[in-house]
Amino acid sequence: MTAFDHKQLRQRILDAAGTRSLNERAPALVAQALRNGEGELTAHGAFSVSTGKYTGRSPKDKAIVRDGLTDGQVWWDNTSSMAPEQFDLLLEDALASLDGKPIYVQDLEAGADPRHTFRVSVFTETAWHALFIRNLLIRPDAQGERPADVTIVHAPSFQANPGRHGTRTDTVIALDMSRNIVLIGGTFYAGEIKKSVFSLFNFHAPSQNILPMHCSANLGPDGDTALFFGLSGTGKTTLSNDPDRPLIGDDEHGWTETGIFNLEGGCYAKTVKLSATAEPEIFAATRRFGTVLENLVLDPGTAEPDFDDVSKTENTRAAYPIDFLPKLAPGGLGGTPQTVVFLTADAFGVLPPIARLTPEQAEYHFLSGYTAKVAGTERGVTEPQATFSACFGAPFMSLHPTVYGDMLAERLRESGAATWLLNTGWIGGAYGVGKRIDIASTRALLKAALSGELDKAEMRTDDVFGFAVPISVPGVAKNVLDPRANWADPDAYDAAAANLAEMFQRNFEKFGALSSVGAVHGPRLKAAAE
Ligand code: ATP
Ligand code: MN
């Protein structure tokens, strides 16, 4: 990948370390984490930790080094920049902060396709972070002294100094794309480590003709690959776990000329309200030795995790190696996708639970990256908030979204993959009036789409959004498919739909002349359509 000498950096960190843990596995790491008082075991043997102040990512504190390589390529509207000298000073200070401390090293891999594998070495302060990233990335068969392509210096207790380092706060996630060095400081939230690998991949992959994707993926009975794109909480992890479809990967993939590959070797599942019946595979994985549970509250007597307790955060998580799941696609690989699903959790209750997209509509929705967040229930606010995040993952898509959008559009046309918009959000009214569609109904609709059954269904064209919506699906109540009929007040529905369409349009203005797809293939206000 680069000419930078990662070996030398590694040696320097190891020489300065107090003690070294080299590529230890779960039993040794858990034992050490317990000795360090980093967390506790649950009743079923998983390791439970609290991440303190930060229980989610800190996108505003992420910066990319602006240099000759990145200057003309990175989408700077979306990411802060950092001068190379700033990065060097920060790295020096962070490394100095690690001097004399115990250092946990994991030499791992990313990219299940052997043609595109790169080596990632992670240096961290705590045994549990080492276990986390060992669970999430690919554990190589043969461990050894192999030079890394990427070095991640993970120093969560290091505090950046805005005055000295030019950072926004004392938290920093800094990426040097030229040397492939990542520095993380000031946050214990482990998801930052895995998503920084993804950000690096997203920067480099397109130049190798690989489309990087924030999606999960699984395999059908005929070896047909399906992708599930979507922002956080829309159902990538939940819906890709399917007893009939082996999992390819949980969250990050690459699409090459020959098929797709998992970037990772593990899963990072949300566990809020996790149910043994609706999500049996994930539930079982939370009860395994080696799994890391983040920010769950345990019963003080029994050490059972309470998945309904969100007192630390809504964003409770389980991190486990992918082979904790019962059904896996061999090698983390799949063929060229036949089905592409865009997941959205529409809290306005406007979008139908499923709709078929043309390739152009797919490009439009990919660039839009719509979902909605519900307001914090604790304040009793019922007004949902629209989120538009390009490519269903703007915080980690390092290049301009149209780079990825153009690649996806081309691949959809070449492959002829069927593309669906699946609303896992609210039906029968907006948040506060309607309810979230249940997982079983979503799975039934998905199954019909994946089996090809929906291709035969009678469709209507949506007045506002222009996509094709099935009129009936066996086993699904008919009015569920038609949000307008499902609302108590059709006029209120029309107003909500017009409002959402307008938000789509306003958001798309940011692409200006770079994408013309919005003018024809985006939603239109009803009055204008008539
Ligand atoms: P991230 O990118 O943060 O990993 P994700 O897309 O993988 O997010 P999931 O972990 O699958 O999101 O989260 C979906 C959440 O929504 C789960 O907690 C799941 O139980 C809940 N949920 C409720 N109703 C549905 C539904 N109809 N379909 C899918 N998920 C649902
Ligand atoms: Mn997920």
Side-chain angles (χ1 to χ4, degrees):
M1 250 172 167
T2 86
F4 176 74
D5 190 352
H6 288 265
K7 228 173 144 178
Q8 204 180 328
L9 178 55
R10 173 199 188 80
Q11 203 52 52
R12 183 179 157 192
I13 298 171
L14 290 181
D15 287 347
T19 59
R20 298 155 202 88
S21 148
L22 287 178
N23 294 312
E24 287 185 299
R25 291 160 192 258
L29 291 171
V30 170
Q32 190 57 51
L34 286 169
R35 279 196 293 275
N36 296 346
E38 296 174 16
E40 58 190 310
L41 288 173
T42 69
H44 317 100
F47 191 70
S48 170
V49 294
S50 290
T51 61
K53 185 170 158 200
Y54 295 98
T55 56
R57 284 179 298 101
S58 308
K60 289 191 184 132
D61 293 309
K62 182 184 159 195
I64 293 177
V65 174
R66 192 168 198 147
D67 58 16
L69 176 69
T70 58
D71 188 33
Q73 289 200 69
V74 166
W75 187 31
W76 296 111
D77 297 353
N78 183 53
T79 319
S80 307
S81 68
M82 179 178 278
E85 307 75 51
Q86 246 177 23
F87 184 88
D88 287 343
L89 181 61
L90 204 58
L91 183 63
E92 278 309 313
D93 289 355
L95 289 176
S97 82
L98 295 177
D99 281 0
K101 283 190 186 168
I103 295 292
Y104 300 85
V105 186
Q106 290 289 322
D107 298 304
L108 301 163
E109 291 178 350
D113 183 334
R115 298 170 302 174
H116 302 294
T117 303
F118 54 94
R119 292 178 290 268
V120 181
S121 291
V122 181
F123 300 83
T124 181
E125 289 176 49
T126 63
W128 85 260
H129 282 107
L131 178 61
F132 169 88
I133 199 61
R134 182 174 178 83
N135 285 351
L136 259 296
L137 292 184
I138 298 170
R139 297 153 293 281
D141 297 334
Q143 210 71 254
E145 275 293 292
R146 302 203 285 164
D149 299 303
V150 172
T151 297
I152 299 181
V153 176
H154 186 251
S157 59
F158 170 72
Q159 304 268 296
N161 175 344
R164 178 172 163 82
H165 301 117
T167 52
R168 196 183 69 99
T169 66
D170 53 19
T171 298
V172 63
I173 298 100
L175 297 104
D176 178 334
M177 302 292 187
S178 298
R179 297 183 295 178
N180 292 314
I181 308 173
V182 177
L183 169 69
I184 299 171
T187 170
F188 284 79
Y189 180 68
E192 298 284 11
I193 316 174
K194 85 169 212 111
K195 277 300 196 301
S196 68
V197 177
F198 190 45
S199 298
L200 275 175
F201 176 66
N202 289 334
F203 180 82
H204 293 291
S207 65
Q208 295 159 39
N209 199 23
I210 302 167
L211 171 63
M213 306 179 290
H214 185 217
C215 69
S216 62
N218 66 18
L219 216 51
D222 307 320
D224 52 305
T225 297
L227 305 179
F228 305 86
F229 288 88
L231 289 163
S232 188
T234 56
K236 292 184 298 300
T237 298
T238 298
L239 298 173
S240 58
N241 275 280
D242 180 332
D244 298 326
R245 300 180 61 97
L247 185 70
I248 299 171
D250 176 62
D251 193 50
E252 305 164 2
H253 291 82
W255 186 341
T256 68
E257 330 72 72
T258 54
I260 66 145
F261 65 86
N262 189 2
L263 189 69
E264 305 180 296
C267 308
Y268 195 30
K270 279 180 178 290
T271 55
V272 58
K273 297 193 207 130
L274 183 65
S275 115
T277 43
E279 301 179 66
E281 301 88 358
I282 298 171
F283 187 83
T286 65
R287 300 163 82 102
R288 292 271 299 258
F289 178 84
T291 291
V292 175
L293 299 180
E294 262 187 333
N295 297 317
L296 279 150
V297 175
L298 307 188
D299 182 293
T302 63
E304 291 259 4
D306 179 353
F307 295 119
D308 295 324
D309 190 331
V310 293
S311 57
K312 289 188 195 169
T313 175
E314 282 262 340
N315 189 29
T316 57
R317 295 270 180 172
Y320 47 89
I322 195 166
D323 47 43
F324 278 15
L325 295 171
K327 269 196 119 161
L328 294 183
L333 299 170
T336 298
Q338 291 183 8
T339 311
V340 172
V341 180
F342 294 155
L343 303 169
T344 182
D346 175 25
F348 296 98
V350 165
L351 297 177
I354 194 161
R356 178 143 186 177
L357 305 176
T358 64
E360 293 75 22
Q361 287 167 345
E363 189 179 349
Y364 177 81
H365 283 276
F366 183 68
L367 287 175
S368 297
Y370 166 70
T371 195
K373 288 195 179 123
V374 294
T377 37
E378 69 276 9
R379 286 192 293 139
V381 181
T382 53
E383 192 64 2
Q385 241 190 342
T387 306
F388 292 94
S389 182
C391 312
F392 296 106
F396 352 102
M397 306 314 285
S398 308
L399 308 177
H400 195 279
T402 53
V403 173
Y404 308 108
D406 290 348
M407 281 181 91
L408 181 77
E410 188 189 309
R411 269 154 221 231
L412 288 179
R413 272 191 290 272
E414 275 174 10
S415 64
T419 309
W420 301 92
L421 185 67
L422 194 64
N423 176 15
T424 63
W426 274 254
I427 55 169
Y431 175 78
V433 178
K435 61 171 180 58
R436 191 165 182 188
I437 188 169
D438 60 286
I439 298 179
S441 299
T442 299
R443 286 200 205 274
L445 290 166
L446 180 60
K447 197 171 175 185
L450 292 170
S451 68
E453 197 183 319
L454 273 196
D455 295 337
K456 295 175 249 147
E458 197 192 332
M459 300 273 194
R460 65 174 175 92
T461 301
D462 189 273
D463 284 346
V464 177
F465 289 88
F467 39 49
V469 183
I471 291 171
S472 71
V473 177
V476 178
K478 214 168 170 176
N479 72 335
V480 168
L481 295 166
D482 183 355
R484 192 168 188 272
N486 209 2
W487 278 46
D489 176 359
D491 290 338
Y493 174 82
D494 290 339
N499 184 41
L500 181 61
E502 207 183 313
M503 289 191 274
F504 264 91
Q505 287 172 337
R506 266 205 308 275
N507 168 68
F508 214 81
E509 283 165 12
K510 68 172 171 260
F511 298 113
L514 276 169
S515 178
S516 56
V517 79
V520 187
H521 303 286
R524 48 190 66 207
L525 303 180
K526 212 176 174 196
E530 275 163 4

